[in-house]
Amino acid sequence: NAGVTQTPKFRILKIGQSMTLQCTQDMNHNYMYWYRQDPGMGLKLIYYSVGAGITDKGEVPNGYNVSRSTTEDFPLRLELAAPSQTSVYFCASSPDLNTEAFFGQGTRLTVV
Amino acid sequence: LAKTTQPISMDSYEGQEVNITCSHNNIATNDYITWYQQFPSQGPRFIIQGYKTKVTNEVASLFIPADRKSSTLSLPRVSLSDTAVYYCLVGLMSGSARQLTFGSGTQLTVLP
């Protein structure tokens, strides 16, 4: 049982480039989340999804897009990378809203 | 946007009991309160969850007063390996939007 898997683990982007952070979970969880964590700071919710085909904005959605075509996958898209998006990105999933969330190991993104 | 508030840092010695409090004034009626632990370069890990009064598991206790506007995580007899950042997570109502917001986190340092 792999849990929540994120790829890549590290990435360096140039300003204006685009990329997709991949997240997949094998626990058949309905809820999935994307957070970002800046150095020395707490986690801020970017987007979340309550099931396939349904997504909603979190606290800091600007500059990002998501899709949820399957229960397992919840990719995060950066269209025009900016230095302000340098951060560690965590994906998580949970069976329901008020239940334990399982986190991936994170993707460390640097935009230069 | 409603926020949660935690102490920035706490120090303790091995074997002592540690209590970390989180304030969450705008918690929604049906929301649970969840605490997570995070080590450097890792995703958060679930510790405990509760709705009201007291919850205890094998690693911690969670105390929630009747008004539910705060919660206290209690770690009995901490060890050096408990040095980590601790976050409380609640679903906070902000107008009609739901926000799953982590607190700012408390850096717990356990000293020998």
Side-chain angles (χ1 to χ4, degrees):
Chain A
N1 191 337
V4 178
T5 303
Q6 293 182 236
T7 57
K9 288 186 171 54
F10 304 93
R11 183 73 185 267
I12 298 175
L13 279 182
K14 293 184 179 179
I15 294 172
Q17 287 186 321
S18 62
M19 78 164 293
T20 299
L21 282 67
Q22 301 291 345
C23 176
T24 186
Q25 52 97 5
D26 61 1
M27 297 173 282
N28 200 34
H29 287 169
N30 289 322
Y31 284 73
M32 295 189 74
Y33 317 84
W34 274 106
Y35 288 90
R36 61 175 286 173
Q37 185 173 35
D38 298 332
M41 306 294 286
L43 287 83
K44 295 185 176 181
L45 183 65
I46 305 172
Y47 272 96
Y48 68 100
S49 169
V50 303
I54 306 170
T55 63
D56 206 350
K57 296 178 180 179
E59 186 181 0
V60 291
N62 292 342
Y64 307 94
N65 281 300
V66 294
S67 60
R68 185 94 181 271
S69 57
T70 66
T71 299
E72 294 79 18
D73 300 308
F74 190 41
L76 177 71
R77 180 81 177 166
L78 283 72
E79 291 294 350
L80 292 171
S84 61
Q85 293 178 304
T86 294
S87 190
V88 180
Y89 292 82
F90 288 101
C91 178
S93 73
S94 65
D96 200 348
L97 186 62
N98 285 316
T99 54
E100 175 184 356
F102 296 82
F103 283 79
Q105 288 301 300
T107 296
R108 186 176 298 274
L109 176 67
T110 302
V111 182
V112 296
Chain B
L1 176 64
K3 295 194 177 193
T4 60
T5 304
Q6 301 175 232
I8 293 174
S9 64
M10 297 180 70
D11 291 342
S12 180
Y13 290 97
E14 281 191 291
Q16 289 188 330
E17 178 184 77
V18 171
N19 296 309
I20 306 173
T21 297
C22 178
S23 299
H24 28 79
N25 289 327
N26 291 357
I27 187 170
T29 301
N30 297 326
D31 284 331
Y32 281 69
I33 299 156
T34 312
W35 284 80
Y36 287 83
Q37 175 192 56
Q38 187 180 30
F39 297 110
S41 301
Q42 295 186 22
R45 186 177 69 174
F46 173 87
I47 302 174
I48 196 167
Q49 185 182 68
Y51 181 78
K52 62 180 179 181
T53 63
K54 177 184 175 182
V55 179
T56 298
N57 63 20
E58 62 274 11
V59 298
S61 294
L62 180 58
F63 299 92
I64 305 169
D67 66 6
R68 299 193 344 112
K69 293 186 177 182
S70 66
S71 59
T72 299
L73 173 71
S74 181
L75 303 172
R77 298 179 299 280
V78 294
S79 64
L80 295 177
S81 62
D82 291 320
T83 294
V85 179
Y86 292 81
Y87 294 97
C88 71
L89 174 63
V90 300
L92 298 176
M93 293 302 294
S94 177
S96 60
R98 293 211 59 149
Q99 302 286 342
L100 296 171
T101 303
F102 276 74
S104 53
T106 299
Q107 171 66 59
L108 172 65
T109 302
V110 180
L111 305 169

